[in-house]
Amino acid sequence: MNNTDDLPGNWGRWGDDDELGTLNLITDEVRARAAREVRTGRSVSLAVPIEPAPVYSGPFGPQSAEISPVQQVVAYTGSPAFATADVITVTNHHTKSTHLDALAHIVHDGKVYPGRPLGEAVSMGGVRHGSTTAFAAGIVTRGVLLDFAADGPVPVDRSITAQDLEAAEERHGVRVESGDALVVRFGWVETRYRGNPSPGVDIDAVRWMHDRGVSLYAGDLGDAHPPQFGSPSALHGVALPLMGMPLIDAVDADELASVCAELGRYSFMFVAAPPRIHGLTGVPVNPVALF
Amino acid sequence: MNNTDDLPGNWGRWGDDDELGTLNLITDEVRARAAREVRTGRSVSLAVPIEPAPVYSGPFGPQSAEISPVQQVVAYTGSPAFATADVITVTNHHTKSTHLDALAHIVHDGKVYPGRPLGEAVSMGGVRHGSTTAFAAGIVTRGVLLDFAADGPVPVDRSITAQDLEAAEERHGVRVESGDALVVRFGWVETRYRGNPSPGVDIDAVRWMHDRGVSLYAGDLGDAHPPQFGSPSALHGVALPLMGMPLIDAVDADELASVCAELGRYSFMFVAAPPRIHGLTGVPVNPVALF
Amino acid sequence: MNNTDDLPGNWGRWGDDDELGTLNLITDEVRARAAREVRTGRSVSLAVPIEPAPVYSGPFGPQSAEISPVQQVVAYTGSPAFATADVITVTNHHTKSTHLDALAHIVHDGKVYPGRPLGEAVSMGGVRHGSTTAFAAGIVTRGVLLDFAADGPVPVDRSITAQDLEAAEERHGVRVESGDALVVRFGWVETRYRGNPSPGVDIDAVRWMHDRGVSLYAGDLGDAHPPQFGSPSALHGVALPLMGMPLIDAVDADELASVCAELGRYSFMFVAAPPRIHGLTGVPVNPVALF
Amino acid sequence: MNNTDDLPGNWGRWGDDDELGTLNLITDEVRARAAREVRTGRSVSLAVPIEPAPVYSGPFGPQSAEISPVQQVVAYTGSPAFATADVITVTNHHTKSTHLDALAHIVHDGKVYPGRPLGEAVSMGGVRHGSTTAFAAGIVTRGVLLDFAADGPVPVDRSITAQDLEAAEERHGVRVESGDALVVRFGWVETRYRGNPSPGVDIDAVRWMHDRGVSLYAGDLGDAHPPQFGSPSALHGVALPLMGMPLIDAVDADELASVCAELGRYSFMFVAAPPRIHGLTGVPVNPVALF
């Protein structure tokens, strides 16, 4: 991918040192719009549950375990024990973990958003540019769900296009505006990420997100797997590194879709406040939709 | 502590299998009350930043590091690199991490809330009762700040009492009601947890929280350090194990106090949505106050 | 176990601060005797192979894995990569890992060898007494194999007794002397530690080891599983904490038995030199027999 | 480095699937020669001690720690505790750890020894070619010490050359032969790897090792730091990837030098038997010299 001329991008738009990317689009006005969505306090989690795998299970424990994003060591404190505690090892970009990608996660032509050389931004010693530090205060904005799975999962050979997004807006009676978090439902929570091919959004859909000013993408799927070689993945290959748009991978939007259908509205307050750990390339998150 | 007759407690109140404890007090009505607090969308994080320590920093890197709750391994993916990724090791109950204690964290007389024998609830293989699974959907309720540090940090030899809490309500023009999350500010963010003694709340304050129906305690301090031997710590020794009240340790309420003072109101919507990792004894969290 | 009067023990024998236990029996003379065993340089490993489990295997990787003592994170260094590196998480006392138990591993009546209170010896901050620091220089001594599986595995309901050990000496034409490492083969490498019951040595066998001056026990089995409640496990409950005898758990002595049978001699030089990591309760080791 | 024609190399010498590299030079005859070195059983460790850093040290513990190759979580088992246990995280290629580099550790022109494409040999899922599996049985051979620090540390601006190696042989009355492990002492144990420049061996010294048939290099230093750009590091850039020679980094040969001087002989039996963990790019090791 040498020619990025016709790809949507924001390098330079908010300066050469910018680390927020499209989160810059979340203004006070956007947050006020988000606040107006909250009426009853009903809340819905968009995260899949993670069952940690025990690092040690003893001679009479299980012999094998499902591979988990989280490994756990549990301990008693004191003798007799007055407390219990644990230490966990977390794989930040695990396909079975709902997680928020920082902008330094993806390298484009030796650089990370907005054009910082990889070696300057990320080394063994840590991430100096484009890390989860950008999420320190939590992300609070308006969220919009576009649901493509009301009648069943999106087929594996179908891509979500810009036209599909607009048709969904029409169907739901909602319009994605600048600064909104876009939640997309493919209906693939049960079947995704088990080695099988899966559908995704296409580059025109990402161009549409750029035009509309989407601040963050959260989907139960995002890019098609396997990626089609020769063209970059629309979200991980273009939206994140070139537009500076954070992605929440592996959400579960099933309950959200039910609630939206029940309430007859597809917009809500959206809060994604992962642990305030700076300097990471990504971090597990439990996004919450508030109605 | 053999005689718990005169200590506030909830064992049995919500059944023998209950894992929610005082989170049971967060009803739809409580959440609706919380929602009414959101007007402008202004949000404040209550978490201290965590700077991860590199597991490896190379021959020319630093030789020592501040002990951190998070250890990080950073890696490039692909050659040339097309992505970066990291794996972190997290100490869930670290004094430098804003974290949410699950009910199985504290053992009372060989048992955890609400009377489950320790060995049944927690083993090397994981936590089967009273874990972070209770926080799966995120905690959304009304929050109230009681600030005792407007004129400087609470002195080391002072305890916060029930009377102090009521006086603060009076001062702030707010009243803690059933289901509310109580945020307490001692003004100790800069100085706490460095081995020095520190003040805390007393048992009468906890009794008051019990009477008022506080669902969750979040403070920049909580129990006095070192604990006064002979009597249990009010929050970790009584509120958590006997009342089943989750605690958020090590919050930073300084910005929150500024905003409350500026807006002239000390109640807000409170969202604590840590990563949806089940089966832990605690988990880092970035609590957010929404105005 | 309140009455330890009639159990073999060494508390006080080498002083109250001793951390070597029966390794004190390995004198220069013992090492010289060991050296005389080396003639051809043929070497045999007594360790089972450990296949690390990947912490991350990607969307197209396996979905479950055998639980392993070692978790691995692999990374490329540089872009393009000029090196590869890894970080591993190791469970020191894993049943599938050939490992050397330090003396602080087992608590007897609130104390560790030779009578140090647990809280003084071992805390969350590390092990201050009885750790792997005792193995810093490597263990080099004479080894003797007593093989009970020449005709098939020891049955699950059989214990190895002092008489059995003497009969094996007779059979092999070898005599265990003070300072020797004793290697015992039950023939259980394939079937052990999968939750099933397994045989072990009895307390008289341990008394015999005490009388003979065994410095270290290495077996493909050791204590019967499950332990017979009411009496302490002979090796982990008595030999290690009371005699101060380090144990190597989960060895594979099958190839060793073949070589001994082929050469017609059951003694050899024995080298156990685990990584020189101080302050642990145990450590993986690859014991080597040299002929 | 496109032209490797005049660099010493072994790609293809032992076949395209070879994983042993120069360990192929350790024949039965070499081991028998090694055995003849053992007379008294005196043993010397060549490993530096590693003090693990506690992952958690509590509110009254230290606030900072020296960066360590090993992070430790210590736990009590049972309540009251009947055992203690720990889990450690190990950085395999740490400058403060005496460790054995596997052949897949270094990439040459997109390939690892003996010409296997990087992506085939090493991925996030593990190391499939050139890993520590090659060390499964332990490395047992003859060792030779060449000491350049009898009169003080080698100056930072000096390289060890082939002539230096031969002069040392002369001085010590020893001759490095095919299959020997070469131990080199710069006298830098106290001062190395703290970010300061340090001396190393030059490419002619490595050529000499190739000609002599050295099976393994172990030094208190190896390659000069920082590397001289434009030319590959002699050991890590040539010997390991092109000759397939495993390296033991960061040894402590000070005591070894004393013993050699005292005994008047610079050859010994050499045993390096790291934990039998397959599939790693490197592993901590405690090499032992037996006299």
Side-chain angles (χ1 to χ4, degrees):
Chain A
M1 179 172 35
N2 294 315
N3 188 345
T4 60
D5 289 355
D6 55 352
L7 292 176
N10 290 317
W11 289 17
R13 178 174 177 185
W14 296 289
D16 290 345
D17 293 329
D18 180 55
E19 304 195 63
L20 291 174
T22 52
L23 299 183
N24 282 295
L25 300 171
I26 305 176
T27 60
D28 288 351
E29 192 195 324
V30 168
R31 263 186 293 257
R33 183 173 72 221
R36 288 194 294 274
E37 300 287 347
V38 187
R39 298 166 207 167
T40 65
R42 184 161 178 180
S43 76
V44 178
S45 161
L46 277 67
V48 293
I50 299 173
E51 299 293 339
V55 168
Y56 186 63
S57 63
F60 292 89
Q63 299 298 313
S64 68
E66 193 162 343
I67 289 177
S68 171
V70 177
Q71 315 280 333
Q72 180 188 25
V73 180
V74 183
Y76 289 172
T77 299
S79 176
F82 58 82
T84 67
D86 41 17
V87 172
I88 52 174
T89 299
V90 180
T91 304
N92 286 320
H93 297 282
H94 201 281
T95 48
K96 292 181 183 165
S97 165
T98 306
H99 63 273
L100 181 52
D101 287 349
L103 298 184
H105 173 46
I106 302 290
V107 186
H108 176 86
D109 208 12
K111 302 193 179 69
V112 300
Y113 173 91
R116 189 68 51 107
L118 172 61
E120 280 179 32
V122 184
S123 73
M124 281 185 302
V127 185
R128 280 180 301 276
H129 184 88
S131 77
T132 51
T133 306
F135 314 138
I139 299 170
V140 179
T141 188
R142 193 179 75 142
V144 169
L145 169 69
L146 299 184
D147 182 9
F148 297 95
D151 301 322
V154 173
V156 66
D157 56 355
R158 268 279 270 123
S159 290
I160 301 294
T161 66
Q163 279 178 304
D164 293 329
L165 295 170
E166 297 208 340
E169 281 184 312
E170 194 83 14
R171 205 162 57 234
H172 297 330
V174 70
R175 185 182 160 83
V176 173
E177 301 190 22
S178 180
D180 283 352
L182 174 62
V183 184
V184 173
R185 177 168 177 253
F186 284 74
W188 271 70
V189 170
E190 297 306 320
T191 44
R192 69 186 166 191
Y193 304 138
R194 302 225 157 228
N196 48 307
S198 52
V201 304
D202 76 3
I203 187 67
D204 282 325
V206 163
R207 218 180 300 270
W208 181 92
M209 296 176 207
H210 183 59
D211 295 342
R212 286 294 184 88
V214 167
S215 62
L216 178 148
Y217 176 93
D220 59 356
L221 286 181
D223 288 311
H225 277 274
Q228 296 173 278
F229 292 109
S231 66
S233 295
L235 288 166
H236 287 81
V238 175
L240 189 143
L242 298 183
M243 289 160 51
M245 187 168 83
L247 308 175
I248 302 185
D249 290 337
V251 312
D252 180 345
D254 289 358
E255 186 187 349
L256 180 66
S258 295
V259 172
C260 287
E262 178 191 334
L263 301 181
R265 58 181 175 111
Y266 284 78
S267 58
F268 38 84
M269 190 175 212
F270 177 93
V271 179
R276 193 172 176 170
I277 309 173
H278 291 190
L280 307 182
T281 68
V283 64
V285 68
N286 191 348
V288 172
L290 300 170
F291 291 86
Chain B
M1 180 171 35
N2 293 315
N3 188 344
T4 60
D5 288 355
D6 56 352
L7 292 176
N10 290 319
W11 289 17
R13 179 175 176 185
W14 296 290
D16 290 345
D17 294 329
D18 181 55
E19 304 194 63
L20 291 175
T22 52
L23 299 182
N24 281 294
L25 300 170
I26 305 176
T27 60
D28 287 351
E29 192 195 323
V30 168
R31 262 186 294 258
R33 184 172 72 221
R36 288 194 294 273
E37 301 286 348
V38 187
R39 297 166 209 168
T40 65
R42 184 161 178 180
S43 76
V44 178
S45 162
L46 278 67
V48 294
I50 299 173
E51 299 294 339
V55 167
Y56 186 62
S57 62
F60 293 88
Q63 298 298 315
S64 66
E66 191 161 347
I67 289 177
S68 171
V70 177
Q71 317 278 332
Q72 180 187 25
V73 180
V74 182
Y76 290 171
T77 299
S79 175
F82 57 84
T84 67
D86 41 17
V87 172
I88 52 174
T89 299
V90 180
T91 304
N92 287 319
H93 298 281
H94 200 281
T95 49
K96 291 181 183 164
S97 165
T98 306
H99 63 273
L100 181 53
D101 287 348
L103 298 184
H105 174 46
I106 301 291
V107 186
H108 176 85
D109 208 12
K111 301 192 180 69
V112 300
Y113 173 88
R116 189 66 51 107
L118 173 60
E120 280 179 32
V122 184
S123 74
M124 281 184 302
V127 184
R128 279 179 301 276
H129 185 89
S131 77
T132 51
T133 307
F135 314 139
I139 298 171
V140 179
T141 187
R142 194 180 75 142
V144 169
L145 169 68
L146 298 183
D147 181 9
F148 298 94
D151 301 321
V154 173
V156 66
D157 57 355
R158 270 277 271 122
S159 288
I160 300 294
T161 66
Q163 279 179 305
D164 292 331
L165 295 170
E166 296 207 343
E169 281 184 314
E170 195 84 16
R171 203 159 61 233
H172 297 331
V174 71
R175 185 182 160 84
V176 173
E177 301 191 21
S178 180
D180 282 352
L182 174 62
V183 183
V184 173
R185 177 168 177 254
F186 284 75
W188 272 69
V189 169
E190 296 308 320
T191 45
R192 69 187 165 189
Y193 305 137
R194 302 224 157 231
N196 49 307
S198 53
V201 304
D202 76 3
I203 186 68
D204 282 327
V206 163
R207 219 180 300 271
W208 181 93
M209 295 175 207
H210 183 59
D211 294 344
R212 285 296 184 87
V214 168
S215 63
L216 178 149
Y217 176 92
D220 59 356
L221 285 181
D223 288 311
H225 276 276
Q228 297 173 278
F229 292 110
S231 66
S233 295
L235 287 167
H236 287 83
V238 175
L240 188 142
L242 298 183
M243 289 160 51
M245 187 168 83
L247 309 174
I248 301 185
D249 291 338
V251 311
D252 180 345
D254 289 359
E255 186 188 348
L256 180 66
S258 297
V259 172
C260 287
E262 177 192 335
L263 300 181
R265 59 181 173 111
Y266 284 78
S267 58
F268 38 85
M269 190 175 212
F270 177 92
V271 179
R276 192 171 179 171
I277 309 173
H278 291 190
L280 307 181
T281 68
V283 64
V285 67
N286 191 347
V288 171
L290 300 171
F291 292 87
Chain C
M1 178 171 38
N2 295 314
N3 187 344
T4 60
D5 289 356
D6 56 351
L7 292 177
N10 290 318
W11 289 17
R13 179 175 176 184
W14 295 291
D16 289 346
D17 294 329
D18 181 54
E19 303 196 62
L20 291 175
T22 51
L23 298 182
N24 281 294
L25 300 170
I26 305 176
T27 60
D28 287 351
E29 192 194 325
V30 167
R31 264 186 293 258
R33 183 173 72 220
R36 288 195 294 273
E37 300 288 346
V38 187
R39 296 166 209 167
T40 65
R42 185 162 179 179
S43 75
V44 179
S45 161
L46 277 67
V48 294
I50 298 172
E51 300 294 339
V55 167
Y56 187 63
S57 63
F60 293 89
Q63 298 298 315
S64 67
E66 192 162 345
I67 289 177
S68 171
V70 177
Q71 316 279 333
Q72 180 187 25
V73 180
V74 182
Y76 290 172
T77 300
S79 175
F82 57 83
T84 68
D86 41 19
V87 172
I88 52 175
T89 299
V90 180
T91 305
N92 287 319
H93 298 281
H94 200 281
T95 48
K96 291 181 183 166
S97 165
T98 306
H99 63 274
L100 181 53
D101 287 349
L103 299 184
H105 174 45
I106 301 290
V107 186
H108 176 87
D109 209 12
K111 300 191 180 71
V112 300
Y113 173 89
R116 190 65 53 106
L118 172 61
E120 282 180 31
V122 183
S123 74
M124 281 184 302
V127 185
R128 281 180 300 276
H129 183 89
S131 78
T132 50
T133 307
F135 315 139
I139 299 171
V140 179
T141 187
R142 194 179 75 142
V144 170
L145 169 69
L146 298 183
D147 181 9
F148 297 95
D151 302 321
V154 173
V156 67
D157 57 355
R158 268 279 271 123
S159 290
I160 301 293
T161 66
Q163 278 180 307
D164 292 331
L165 295 170
E166 296 208 341
E169 281 185 313
E170 194 83 16
R171 204 161 61 233
H172 297 329
V174 71
R175 185 183 160 82
V176 173
E177 301 191 22
S178 180
D180 283 353
L182 174 61
V183 183
V184 172
R185 178 170 177 253
F186 284 75
W188 271 69
V189 169
E190 297 307 321
T191 46
R192 69 187 166 189
Y193 304 138
R194 303 225 154 228
N196 48 307
S198 53
V201 304
D202 76 5
I203 187 66
D204 282 326
V206 164
R207 218 180 299 271
W208 181 91
M209 295 176 207
H210 184 58
D211 295 342
R212 284 297 183 85
V214 168
S215 62
L216 178 149
Y217 176 92
D220 59 357
L221 285 181
D223 288 311
H225 277 276
Q228 297 173 279
F229 292 109
S231 65
S233 294
L235 288 167
H236 287 82
V238 175
L240 189 143
L242 298 183
M243 289 160 49
M245 187 168 84
L247 308 175
I248 301 184
D249 290 338
V251 310
D252 180 345
D254 289 358
E255 186 187 349
L256 180 66
S258 296
V259 172
C260 287
E262 178 192 332
L263 300 180
R265 59 182 175 111
Y266 285 77
S267 58
F268 39 84
M269 190 174 211
F270 177 93
V271 179
R276 191 171 178 171
I277 309 173
H278 291 190
L280 306 182
T281 68
V283 64
V285 66
N286 192 347
V288 172
L290 300 170
F291 290 87
Chain D
M1 178 170 39
N2 294 313
N3 187 345
T4 59
D5 288 355
D6 56 351
L7 292 175
N10 290 318
W11 289 16
R13 177 174 177 186
W14 296 290
D16 289 345
D17 294 328
D18 181 55
E19 304 195 63
L20 292 175
T22 52
L23 299 182
N24 280 295
L25 299 170
I26 305 176
T27 60
D28 288 350
E29 193 193 324
V30 168
R31 264 186 293 258
R33 182 172 75 222
R36 288 194 294 273
E37 300 287 347
V38 188
R39 297 166 208 168
T40 65
R42 185 161 178 180
S43 76
V44 179
S45 162
L46 277 67
V48 293
I50 299 172
E51 299 293 340
V55 168
Y56 186 63
S57 63
F60 292 88
Q63 298 299 315
S64 67
E66 192 162 345
I67 288 177
S68 171
V70 177
Q71 317 279 333
Q72 180 188 26
V73 180
V74 182
Y76 290 172
T77 299
S79 175
F82 58 83
T84 67
D86 42 17
V87 172
I88 52 175
T89 299
V90 180
T91 304
N92 286 321
H93 297 281
H94 201 281
T95 48
K96 291 182 183 166
S97 164
T98 306
H99 63 272
L100 180 53
D101 287 348
L103 299 184
H105 174 45
I106 302 290
V107 185
H108 176 87
D109 208 11
K111 301 192 179 72
V112 300
Y113 173 90
R116 188 67 51 108
L118 172 60
E120 279 180 33
V122 183
S123 74
M124 281 184 302
V127 185
R128 280 180 300 276
H129 185 88
S131 78
T132 51
T133 307
F135 314 139
I139 299 171
V140 180
T141 188
R142 193 178 77 142
V144 170
L145 169 68
L146 298 183
D147 182 9
F148 297 95
D151 301 322
V154 174
V156 66
D157 57 356
R158 268 278 272 123
S159 289
I160 300 294
T161 65
Q163 278 179 307
D164 292 329
L165 295 170
E166 297 208 342
E169 281 186 312
E170 194 83 15
R171 204 159 62 234
H172 297 329
V174 70
R175 185 183 161 82
V176 173
E177 302 192 21
S178 179
D180 283 352
L182 175 62
V183 183
V184 172
R185 178 170 178 254
F186 284 75
W188 272 68
V189 170
E190 297 307 321
T191 44
R192 69 185 165 189
Y193 304 136
R194 303 223 154 230
N196 48 307
S198 52
V201 303
D202 76 3
I203 186 66
D204 283 326
V206 163
R207 220 181 298 271
W208 181 92
M209 295 175 208
H210 183 59
D211 295 342
R212 285 297 183 87
V214 168
S215 62
L216 177 148
Y217 176 91
D220 59 357
L221 286 181
D223 288 311
H225 276 275
Q228 297 173 278
F229 292 108
S231 65
S233 294
L235 288 167
H236 287 80
V238 175
L240 189 141
L242 298 183
M243 289 160 51
M245 188 168 83
L247 308 174
I248 301 184
D249 290 338
V251 311
D252 180 345
D254 289 358
E255 185 187 350
L256 180 67
S258 296
V259 172
C260 287
E262 177 192 334
L263 300 181
R265 60 182 174 109
Y266 284 78
S267 59
F268 39 84
M269 190 175 210
F270 177 93
V271 179
R276 192 171 177 172
I277 309 174
H278 291 190
L280 307 181
T281 69
V283 64
V285 67
N286 192 347
V288 172
L290 300 170
F291 291 86

